[in-house]
Amino acid sequence: MIIENEKLTYNHVSFENPKKTTDFKNHSHNLCEILYFIKGDADYVIENRRYHLKKNDLVFIRPKLYHYIEILSNAEYERINASFDSSIISDDLVRRIPSDVEVINCPTDGIIKELFGRLDYYSKNLTKTDFQDVLPSILKELFYVLSINSDKSLNIPLEISPLLTKILEYVNDNLFTLKSIKDISNNFYITEQYLHKIFKTQLKTTPKKYVNSKRLIHAQKLIQRGKKPVDVFSSCGFDTYVGFYKQYINTFGYCPSKEKLTNDKNLSK
């Protein structure tokens, strides 16, 4: 069963030949995301951190973090994935999870594996409406379990590159004031070509796409909280409204004025 709406998505998929699929995207967004890894041969990249996934690994991606899965071989791949607005389960509960917790290896006889087994059972036996009703409660229970056991069986990441780590820290600290990609390369005394190579090799994207993606999801959150698009684009680092408008449509599939409002007032950079 597939659930897709503005605040909650869920799907359970498997691929016999994952190298041949185009369903694996590198992106960032304003939702929390969890991925339960059932089988396959893959690495998961979150910003500058790379994790080699093992059976029963649970991946937790916080909002606004750039991430993607990299399929390493054509071994059969299967996972359960859910993305959700943190308000669905409790903003406070999500904040209880320590910031260094991103990938946890779950015991085969543990409660987390049992929770995903229940999710799979409900998705196959409930109506879509009923499953959409029960899904948030199971996600909430999952995060209570994580808040108790978050220090258990952590998967330790490999740092992709010390230079990339410093570059990403600089970019995110100056996200809305960077005038051009050249600002980044000049700050680290490297050429723009070399900067582009680092991003393409390590993150499967370009510096410009990385920066614009982060700016757009921040703008999206501002608009969802009631800000007018024309009052948002410049504060998010875009030079013109026309350029911002076009990129917004290309990224989200609709114009800024079509964004639905939320009641969330706690905006954090």
Side-chain angles (χ1 to χ4, degrees), residues 149-208:
N149 296 283
S150 61
D151 60 338
K152 310 286 178 64
S153 302
L154 284 180
N155 189 331
I156 305 302
L158 296 174
E159 184 179 68
I160 293 177
S161 156
L163 176 57
L164 180 62
T165 297
K166 292 178 181 178
I167 290 172
L168 295 185
E169 182 178 353
Y170 173 78
V171 168
N172 285 287
D173 284 346
N174 299 278
L175 188 60
F176 308 120
T177 56
L178 291 170
K179 296 300 182 184
S180 69
I181 299 306
K182 191 173 183 178
D183 287 355
I184 306 171
S185 59
N186 286 347
N187 188 75
F188 291 93
Y189 303 100
I190 59 177
T191 65
E192 288 184 64
Q193 291 80 4
Y194 185 56
L195 178 68
H196 189 276
K197 181 179 179 180
I198 292 173
F199 270 74
K200 287 295 289 183
T201 302
Q202 304 293 346
L203 296 180
K204 314 300 182 188
T205 191
T206 66
K208 186 174 182 178

Side-chain angles (χ1 to χ4, degrees), residues 13-183:
V13 298
S14 62
F15 299 100
E16 291 186 358
N17 299 295
K19 280 281 191 179
K20 294 182 179 180
T21 184
T22 59
D23 287 354
F24 306 111
K25 298 178 180 178
N26 47 342
H27 61 291
S28 52
H29 47 66
N30 283 311
L31 301 175
C32 295
E33 183 174 346
I34 57 168
L35 179 144
Y36 185 66
F37 184 70
I38 299 171
K39 67 173 89 170
D41 183 16
D43 283 355
Y44 209 95
V45 174
I46 304 175
E47 295 287 349
N48 65 315
R49 302 171 294 283
R50 176 180 290 269
Y51 299 87
H52 183 65
L53 297 183
K54 302 186 288 287
K55 182 178 180 179
N56 298 321
D57 269 355
L58 175 66
V59 185
F60 171 41
I61 307 103
R62 290 167 173 81
K64 300 185 180 182
L65 296 184
Y66 176 83
H67 57 281
Y68 68 92
I69 192 163
E70 182 174 349
I71 302 298
L72 303 177
S73 76
N74 222 20
E76 185 177 357
Y77 170 74
E78 183 179 4
R79 58 96 173 120
I80 295 173
N81 181 273
S83 300
F84 55 93
D85 190 288
S86 59
S87 63
I88 283 181
I89 64 170
S90 164
D91 293 324
D92 178 66
L93 183 54
V94 172
R95 284 193 291 266
R96 292 187 200 178
I97 312 303
S99 59
D100 63 337
V101 174
E102 291 184 322
V103 180
I104 297 176
N105 189 249
C106 308
T108 56
D109 59 349
I111 189 169
I112 291 178
K113 187 173 187 299
E114 177 193 340
L115 285 171
F116 279 97
R118 283 164 51 195
L119 272 179
D120 195 40
Y121 174 79
Y122 289 141
S123 71
K124 293 174 180 176
N125 292 279
L126 293 176
T127 66
K128 189 171 185 177
T129 299
D130 288 345
F131 179 67
Q132 198 163 331
D133 185 51
V134 77
L135 179 56
S137 63
I138 296 182
L139 290 174
K140 190 169 187 175
E141 184 176 355
L142 171 65
F143 272 79
Y144 274 118
V145 173
L146 287 177
S147 71
I148 298 169
N149 296 283
S150 61
D151 60 338
K152 310 286 178 64
S153 302
L154 284 180
N155 189 331
I156 305 302
L158 296 174
E159 184 179 68
I160 293 177
S161 156
L163 176 57
L164 180 62
T165 297
K166 292 178 181 178
I167 290 172
L168 295 185
E169 182 178 353
Y170 173 78
V171 168
N172 285 287
D173 284 346
N174 299 278
L175 188 60
F176 308 120
T177 56
L178 291 170
K179 296 300 182 184
S180 69
I181 299 306
K182 191 173 183 178
D183 287 355

